[in-house]
Amino acid sequence: MAATSGFKTLPVEIVEQVVGLLAEEEPSSTREIRHEPIIELLENDCKPLKNLSLVCRSFRSLIFPYLFQFIRLGFDVLLRDTRKAETHLQAMYRLSRFIKMYNLADNIKGLTLFFPLQTGIEPQHLPGFVRTLVIFALEDVNPMSLTLIGSASLLGSLTFVHVAEEYTWAYDKRIHVLNLKQSLDMARQGKPLDLNVSCSFLRLRPWTEMILNEGSCIEVYSVYEYYSKLPPSILCWHHERHWVQTDPPLLPQLQHISYVCIFPLPGHALELARVLRCCPQLISLSTQFTPAADARHDILEDTSQIEKANISDLWMETTHAYMKLATEIRSKGEKSKLRRWTTPDTKVRFDDILAGLLIDRGWERKEPRVWERSRSNLED
């Protein structure tokens, strides 16, 4: 009891710092999100704050709000069973009531939603599920950071982007990760959603930062005429609901994009360039096209993934992808507000290739893998 009393007499700032050090890290942290997406993004065996909250009621009352800074919901079981069509909705309703009962909304910084690669939801029921999920995530919770983990087609349903799945068979079943961030002030305002306009996760909040990790494309290089087979992706627009220049723009306040796709095809880089056109306020871009230096495993040494692929093809297409993207960025010139481009590829440096396309358009290399455009070349 004496230890508890002493803890409570500490200044609030010190208590918050101690609790902050013990709090869980967001499951899809910026470091982890750059690795090949896996289900383990949702797992964390280190739970000191939860353990501390079990010591006594006084500790629990102090720590309780911090326990819900980052909420993780996995639909991996419920969505595989069509007989439980209402179960996942009821779970969200209960959690929503719990959050309101204890006034936890202002404490929630991040929300992560994980979906299985194969769902049991019937197509005719999907719009209703998406609508309910949108209301829960963006109105009841409305976090600063929202992370969606699932297949490309499921992310397409949540963002109202039609995903072409013609060549899905050429790619291994991949988990994609989409992370969206808004400012603290906008999250706290919590404006009511106008679902009559759209149910898209992209349109309903003023996101300022987006991270998209689409994993590795290495499997397609073992397929005949691999170069003609673009991957299923929310970047690829092939229908009436796609990334185009709209009025108002699709992502009018987005300022930062970080994109990870390992060994992409050049055509896929062009799809990314089209997305950039939908972001008139974009000022910084980060692209990673090769495995991270601290990756969990070296996919180039994994024979089950490489199979019949020619290693030289991987590097050739990745180089061409950077050239295509650089050409698009170069062609925008003064029309673009983009002023910083980072390429955190450590296995191979593409600086020399990019230099020939960017330097004469006002870009300069500030440091290895970091390019900046002088303000004199930016549009007022």
Side-chain angles (χ1 to χ4, degrees):
M1 183 64 67
T4 303
S5 301
F7 189 76
K8 293 179 65 176
T9 59
L10 291 173
V12 176
E13 294 80 7
I14 294 180
V15 173
E16 290 181 345
Q17 186 172 5
V18 171
V19 172
L21 292 173
L22 294 175
E24 289 186 76
E25 184 182 15
E26 186 175 3
S28 53
S29 64
T30 302
R31 180 180 64 82
E32 287 293 322
I33 210 170
R34 293 187 179 280
H35 294 163
E36 188 168 0
I38 56 175
I39 296 177
E40 282 70 18
L41 280 172
L42 290 173
E43 298 179 355
N44 191 343
D45 295 329
C46 184
K47 302 174 181 179
L49 206 57
K50 287 184 179 180
N51 295 334
L52 186 60
S53 71
L54 299 176
V55 172
C56 62
R57 291 182 178 179
S58 297
F59 274 24
R60 183 169 180 79
S61 63
L62 284 170
I63 295 168
F64 184 76
Y66 296 92
L67 293 176
F68 302 92
Q69 289 187 98
F70 302 107
I71 296 179
R72 292 166 285 182
L73 291 181
F75 298 89
D76 53 325
V77 176
L78 300 179
L79 297 187
R80 288 196 181 100
D81 191 346
T82 55
R83 294 171 298 178
K84 299 180 179 180
E86 299 298 323
T87 307
H88 51 275
L89 299 179
Q90 293 171 0
M92 284 189 286
Y93 291 145
R94 289 196 298 271
L95 182 56
S96 177
R97 289 198 299 270
F98 178 83
I99 291 170
K100 292 175 181 177
M101 182 185 302
Y102 291 98
N103 297 315
L104 294 173
D106 289 344
N107 297 94
I108 299 173
K109 296 180 180 179
L111 174 64
T112 298
L113 305 176
F114 169 78
F115 305 90
L117 292 176
Q118 299 295 330
T119 70
I121 298 181
E122 299 293 339
Q124 63 270 25
H125 296 152
L126 189 56
F129 168 73
V130 171
R131 185 182 181 90
T132 301
L133 190 62
V134 164
I135 293 174
F136 167 74
L138 299 184
E139 193 163 72
D140 296 344
V141 181
N142 195 31
M144 291 174 55
S145 174
L146 172 68
T147 303
L148 307 174
I149 304 177
S151 66
S153 60
L154 195 284
L155 294 188
S157 298
L158 298 178
T159 57
F160 275 47
V161 175
H162 180 81
V163 174
E165 300 183 77
E166 180 181 1
Y167 298 117
T168 301
W169 58 269
Y171 294 83
D172 192 18
K173 292 181 179 179
R174 298 188 301 164
I175 295 175
H176 291 196
V177 179
L178 175 64
N179 176 261
L180 299 165
K181 290 185 173 68
Q182 60 179 326
S183 67
L184 176 60
D185 291 340
M186 296 306 297
R188 293 296 170 258
Q189 288 181 22
K191 294 182 179 180
L193 302 176
D194 187 357
L195 298 182
N196 293 321
V197 175
S198 174
C199 281
S200 169
F201 273 92
L202 293 176
R203 287 185 176 275
L204 292 171
R205 286 299 180 227
W207 308 113
T208 58
E209 182 176 346
M210 179 176 79
I211 302 175
L212 177 61
N213 186 338
E214 297 191 312
S216 169
C217 294
I218 196 169
E219 296 88 0
V220 76
Y221 287 88
S222 298
V223 177
Y224 178 67
E225 294 186 342
Y226 67 85
Y227 46 81
S228 64
K229 299 171 176 59
L230 291 182
S233 167
I234 62 171
L235 297 184
C236 298
W237 49 289
H238 296 273
H239 209 264
E240 68 275 8
R241 297 180 301 171
H242 47 59
W243 302 78
V244 293
Q245 289 179 300
T246 59
D247 189 17
L250 183 61
L251 294 166
Q253 301 189 50
L254 197 68
Q255 297 182 351
H256 311 281
I257 291 180
S258 181
Y259 179 65
V260 181
C261 185
I262 306 305
F263 299 123
L265 299 175
H268 201 42
L270 289 178
E271 302 291 354
L272 174 61
R274 291 190 178 99
V275 173
L276 303 184
R277 301 173 191 169
C278 307
C279 312
Q281 301 302 318
L282 188 68
I283 60 176
S284 74
L285 171 67
S286 173
T287 53
Q288 180 182 326
F289 290 169
T290 60
D294 57 345
R296 300 179 186 88
H297 70 282
D298 190 345
I299 60 175
L300 293 176
E301 299 296 331
D302 189 343
T303 55
S304 64
Q305 293 195 48
I306 296 179
E307 295 183 357
K308 301 177 183 179
N310 188 332
I311 299 297
S312 62
D313 288 341
L314 274 63
W315 297 110
M316 176 186 69
E317 300 292 357
T318 300
T319 300
H320 288 169
Y322 265 119
M323 293 176 66
K324 290 281 188 182
L325 186 56
T327 301
E328 286 291 314
I329 291 175
R330 166 193 171 95
S331 67
K332 294 305 169 188
E334 297 180 355
K335 297 179 181 180
S336 171
K337 293 187 177 181
L338 184 66
R339 62 172 180 260
R340 185 179 178 88
W341 184 11
T342 306
T343 58
D345 295 282
T346 55
K347 290 184 177 293
V348 174
R349 284 175 53 177
F350 299 94
D351 286 354
D352 293 340
I353 297 171
L354 299 180
L357 295 167
L358 297 176
I359 287 181
D360 64 340
R361 292 303 178 99
W363 289 84
E364 57 181 327
R365 182 169 52 192
K366 289 295 184 180
E367 55 186 277
R369 307 179 189 89
V370 177
W371 292 84
E372 289 188 0
R373 187 167 158 226
S374 61
R375 291 188 177 274
S376 60
N377 287 277
L378 293 173
E379 185 179 38
D380 294 333

